[in-house]
Amino acid sequence: MNGYRFCFREEAGVQKPAYSPASAVILKLVERINVVGAGLIGLGSAWRLAQKGAEVTVFDARDAGCEASWTAAGMLAPGGEFFEPSELATLGMRSLAMYPDFVRELEEDSGVTIDYSRSGAIEVAYSDAEAAALETRAAAQKLCGIPSEACKHDSRPARFFPEDAHVDPRDLTRALRVACQRRGVNLLENEPITKISADGRVWTANGVNAGSVTLVAAGAWSSALLTDLPGPRPEVIPVRGHLISWPLRAGLLGPILRHGSTYMVQRRSGVLLAGTTREYVGFDRTLDETALAEIQARAEELLPLLAGQAPTERWNGFRPFVEGELPWISQLGRSCVWAAYGHYRNGILLAPETIQRVAGYLLA
Ligand SMILES: Cc1cc2nc3c(=O)[nH]c(=O)nc-3n(C[C@H](O)[C@H](O)[C@H](O)COP(=O)(O)OP(=O)(O)OC[C@H]3O[C@@H](n4cnc5c(N)ncnc54)[C@H](O)[C@@H]3O)c2cc1C
């Protein structure tokens, strides 16, 4: 291993000062890391940790990358997300700047081509009041380092955000899967973790897996896995979102197109996606016909050539929301368990920054 980090192994439920000679604390070197969750955050972290020499096992309850990281539109779009300076905006901008190198390195390590485009984004105003609000917002966004310029879209007032970009998140998880396997990561799919103990052990229906450290990166499912662990942590709430898509002529849409909560992004293949909704319905996977019809109507208003064309794909997924919308990347008390979850609407954008931070913490 290139780097080692000390963590403390404590007897579960026993309150002892960490540095007291009387405490039953055992110092242990990090050499085997369990990662719970093979979404973009878990797989990305596993890849980085394995690159740095750690021995990593990743567990997923289903197939790798099939939850929020499969659902997402993949917009890397501070211009549509951050309206004033904040810690989240700073993280988002930092992660956006890391994307070109992140994609290049991952393509090299995996041999998988990733659909990534620094396309920019156009945000349209439908009224004078909306245009004025967009101008005011743009002035505040300038303070976060988010540039934009006034433009027109179909004779409507609009703003162009040149630095917004997009990526196909399914390409990212496909590439990470290969890169992880090439780096010797042990990926165990359809192997749900049922329990995690403070000493880093994880349980599945097939038994116990020891680990000197466990990283929980189970997106909207993370809270339920942390119940037996010490220390404060934010509760994660699933926020469902629907998306629809049409196979269209490639190159039809250049920049991302947005109006309010409606957005459109086109993949290199021609597939054009539109979203979205924000629904508080727990983990209900039922497709909501009303929500889908509403997205379609909004999409047709923004891009009239879609009128009358039924989408060929419709799906939904669960954003991991935490209060304050700032992802939680931290150790659970003084246990051997860390967590990285709560990326809510921006987990694809925040992935490079998150996985770099996780590797720094676990292998410091
Ligand atoms: C509709 C929608 C649109 C979005 N659009 C964007 C966008 O344009 N840009 C952007 O940046 N972000 C977007 N997001 C947000 C982004 O998708 C998420 O923030 C990100 O994917 C979270 O990644 P994750 O790895 O934490 O979670 P996930 O991808 O959900 O991965 C969590 C993994 O944990 C596994 N798991 C759960 N329980 C267990 C268990 N007990 N044992 C083992 N494994 C378990 C799951 O099976 C899953 O594979 C969108 C999200 C949605 C829903």
Side-chain angles (χ1 to χ4, degrees):
M1 285 188 52
N2 297 338
Y4 293 104
R5 185 187 169 282
F6 288 106
C7 78
F8 303 99
R9 180 169 286 205
E10 291 182 322
E11 289 169 30
V14 180
Q15 296 292 318
K16 289 171 184 154
Y19 297 100
S20 157
S23 77
V25 172
I26 301 163
L27 288 176
K28 195 170 189 314
L29 290 174
V30 171
E31 44 205 16
R32 294 175 62 192
I33 300 176
N34 293 316
V35 176
V36 182
L40 185 50
I41 302 303
L43 275 184
S45 301
W47 174 53
R48 270 283 178 265
L49 291 164
Q51 268 181 336
K52 291 177 183 295
E55 193 185 306
V56 187
T57 302
V58 183
F59 299 84
D60 200 285
R62 302 180 65 202
D63 293 337
C66 78
E67 292 288 1
S69 302
W70 181 88
T71 308
M75 288 181 300
L76 312 173
E81 291 292 322
F82 311 126
F83 298 171
E84 57 193 7
S86 66
E87 199 179 335
L88 184 59
T90 303
L91 290 181
M93 295 300 285
R94 197 186 301 155
S95 205
L96 180 70
M98 293 167 80
Y99 245 96
D101 285 345
F102 174 68
V103 167
R104 196 176 314 118
E105 189 189 353
L106 183 52
E107 284 186 329
E108 279 169 16
D109 226 25
S110 65
V112 173
T113 303
I114 296 166
D115 180 357
Y116 164 68
S117 168
R118 298 165 87 174
S119 59
I122 293 176
E123 183 135 353
V124 184
Y126 286 179
S127 66
D128 289 346
E130 283 186 5
L134 203 50
E135 295 305 306
T136 308
R137 197 183 97 190
Q141 288 182 302
K142 215 170 157 189
L143 302 175
C144 320
I146 301 172
S148 65
E149 59 203 54
C151 66
K152 290 270 183 199
H153 180 78
D154 287 346
S155 75
R156 282 168 162 155
R159 280 199 87 83
F160 179 60
F161 294 83
E163 293 187 1
D164 283 2
H166 61 86
V167 67
D168 186 339
R170 299 178 193 177
D171 285 351
L172 289 178
T173 46
R174 236 189 319 270
L176 280 169
R177 199 175 205 286
V178 176
C180 277
Q181 280 165 347
R182 287 185 175 178
R183 294 271 173 186
V185 171
N186 186 19
L187 175 60
L188 301 174
E189 294 169 287
N190 300 298
E191 192 85 359
I193 295 300
T194 53
K195 182 184 159 188
I196 302 170
S197 61
D199 60 8
R201 283 176 299 162
V202 296
W203 276 256
T204 71
N206 296 317
V208 188
N209 204 61
S212 38
V213 167
T214 287
L215 171 72
V216 177
W221 293 265
S222 298
S223 290
L225 287 161
L226 304 176
T227 45
D228 295 338
L229 295 160
R233 83 300 301 257
E235 197 65 23
V236 62
I237 297 170
V239 180
R240 190 174 72 181
H242 281 79
L243 285 170
I244 55 180
S245 74
W246 302 258
L248 296 178
R249 178 171 53 79
L252 187 74
L253 198 71
I256 297 165
L257 197 55
R258 295 195 291 256
H259 172 259
S261 59
T262 309
Y263 57 74
M264 268 171 225
V265 54
Q266 190 173 31
R267 304 275 186 247
R268 204 177 279 160
S269 65
V271 169
L272 186 141
L273 285 69
T276 184
T277 52
R278 245 184 265 188
E279 305 156 64
Y280 299 84
V281 294
F283 288 107
D284 183 354
R285 294 182 192 271
T286 315
L287 288 178
D288 181 330
E289 292 299 334
T290 308
L292 291 163
E294 190 210 309
I295 295 171
Q296 188 167 354
R298 287 193 269 133
E300 288 179 10
E301 189 172 10
L302 191 53
L303 193 64
L305 67 83
L306 293 173
Q309 294 199 48
T312 49
E313 273 193 73
R314 299 139 20 115
W315 66 97
N316 62 27
F318 305 103
R319 304 175 188 92
F321 169 83
V322 293
E323 199 63 46
E325 299 186 20
L326 203 57
W328 198 70
I329 303 167
S330 184
Q331 189 175 11
L332 276 289
R334 290 199 184 96
S335 73
C336 298
V337 181
W338 286 70
Y341 65 86
H343 293 75
Y344 190 39
R345 297 155 52 95
N346 285 298
I348 311 304
L349 170 64
L350 295 170
E353 202 277 339
T354 299
I355 67 177
Q356 176 173 288
R357 209 145 34 114
V358 165
Y361 289 156
L362 268 60
L363 298 178

